[in-house]
Structures are given as structure tokens and as C-alpha cells.
Amino acid sequence: MEPPGFVGMLPPVVLVHGTATTGAVWRRVRRELGDRRVHAPDRPSSGSLSTELAALRPLLDGAVYGGVSGGATLGLALLAAGVPLAGAVLHEPAVGSLLPGLLAPVAAAYADGGVAALARTLYGPAWTPADAPSDPAVVERDLAMFLEFEPEPLPERAGPTIITVGANSPPVRHRAAALLRERLGLTVRVLPNCGHAAHLEAPAAFARTLFDVYRP
């Protein structure tokens, strides 16, 4: 936690959720951020990447961006589009054809068991049905969109960005993070004591990384 006076000088944080969750999933990270100005919107989950980015855009100029899962994937798209972020912490985004099959277990879980099966496969036992959106159709739209996502090159002046991966995540997630380091030149940090659900399992570590990614 930063001193109160210092916190007042920092840019706001925008926290963006992934599929099968809402903005409320950030509750533990928000507590760790203390007096920091924070926005954690509910995405429209439209199934359209351009619509999702446009909905977030008014919040983002000069902000620090935090995303987990699909929220991290949208962060990669925002960086590629040249959105002027003060910094970004992206936990385990999709990587498209850089690592085919990364999301295959998630898609299979949804096909077999719907929203709950998808969410348990992604987030593990930290997720509960209370974290799900009220309309299950938004999960199907999100899944289709993220399955089609392809990361694009980042502009030279992209803000500082940290890709995070959970220490307890399977090797394929660590490989995905390594590919983003190799192909896009991004810094990678391993967060202890968590898997994909960093916002639920390691909120203090995620909050510290948000502070670390931007230093005035």
C-alpha cells in the first residue's frame, strides 16, 4: 500500500473482468488498492471486440489498466490500438494462433456443462455461481469472441505493461506468457499462490503489481 498523499497523485485504475464474471469480481483487489480511484465496469459482453473496446474507451486515457482472463485479452487489443494507458497488468490473456488450443479445454467445458463448467475450468474453486453474470448468453458471446482473438503488434510507445501468470497455473499458461515476452517484448511476472483467478486468489499481489507498473 502506498502513502495516502502519494495515492492521490496516481492515475485511476480501470479493472476489467473476463467471461463468466462481472465487475464485482474485483472486490478483493479494490480493498487492497485502498483509496486509489478505481473503476470496475460491467462489460457489455456483446461478442464484438470493437464494441467491447469502445465501451471501455472513455475510462482509459492515462489510466492504469488491470485485466484478468478476457479482461487481459481486451487489454492487449487496447494496447495494439494505441490507447494511451499509464500502464497495464494483464493476467493470462488469450494469445490466438501463437498457441493454438490454449482455450480448447474452456470451450469443451462450456459445450459439456455450460457456464459453471466453463468457469470452474478457467478459475478453479475460487469462482462461485454468485460471480456469474445474470444472463448466461453473455458467456457464450464472450467465449466466441475470445476464441477468435489474435494479438497484434504493439506500437513503439505503448505504456509499460506486465504480463502476469499464476505460479499454480498449468504449463500451457506459462508458455503463453513466454510467447508474449518473445513476440511482443512484454515483461512477465509470476504471481505466487494463484492460478488463473488472480483477482480472487492473490488480490494483494495483483494490487502490488498495479502499483509497480506505474511510477511517476
Side-chain angles (χ1 to χ4, degrees):
M1 191 69 64
E2 304 291 346
F6 184 75
V7 170
M9 298 167 56
L10 293 173
V13 173
V14 178
L15 301 173
V16 180
H17 65 89
T19 192
T21 61
T22 69
V25 78
W26 292 103
R27 56 195 177 274
R28 297 175 187 173
V29 175
R30 295 188 75 150
R31 284 197 294 268
E32 295 293 338
L33 290 172
D35 294 333
R36 188 81 174 261
R37 290 174 293 157
V38 177
H39 303 285
D42 289 337
R43 293 192 294 103
S45 294
S46 61
S48 162
L49 183 63
S50 61
T51 298
E52 297 300 304
L53 300 186
L56 293 169
R57 187 64 182 82
L59 299 174
L60 297 177
D61 282 358
V64 172
Y65 183 101
V68 166
S69 191
T73 305
L74 293 173
L76 283 180
L78 289 163
L79 289 168
V83 175
L85 300 174
V89 177
L90 309 179
H91 186 76
E92 301 192 0
V95 297
S97 59
L98 294 181
L99 190 55
L102 176 66
L103 299 183
V106 179
Y110 182 76
D112 289 343
V115 173
L118 174 148
R120 293 293 189 194
T121 300
L122 264 180
Y123 305 116
W127 180 91
T128 71
D131 294 314
S134 58
D135 179 5
V138 305
V139 177
E140 183 172 0
R141 294 196 294 268
D142 267 352
L143 178 60
M145 179 179 69
F146 294 129
L147 285 170
E148 294 177 356
F149 173 78
E150 282 293 333
E152 297 182 3
L154 304 185
E156 291 184 5
R157 296 186 178 181
T161 301
I162 299 174
I163 298 294
T164 58
V165 60
N168 300 336
S169 289
V172 68
R173 288 289 184 180
H174 291 262
R175 177 60 180 150
L179 285 166
L180 291 174
R181 180 176 56 219
E182 295 166 10
R183 303 294 179 88
L184 300 183
L186 297 175
T187 298
V188 173
R189 180 181 295 186
V190 177
L191 298 186
N193 304 315
C194 72
H196 195 64
H199 39 12
L200 297 173
E201 297 175 324
F206 194 89
R208 284 195 301 271
T209 311
L210 288 168
F211 277 112
D212 289 346
V213 78
Y214 174 82
R215 292 288 178 178

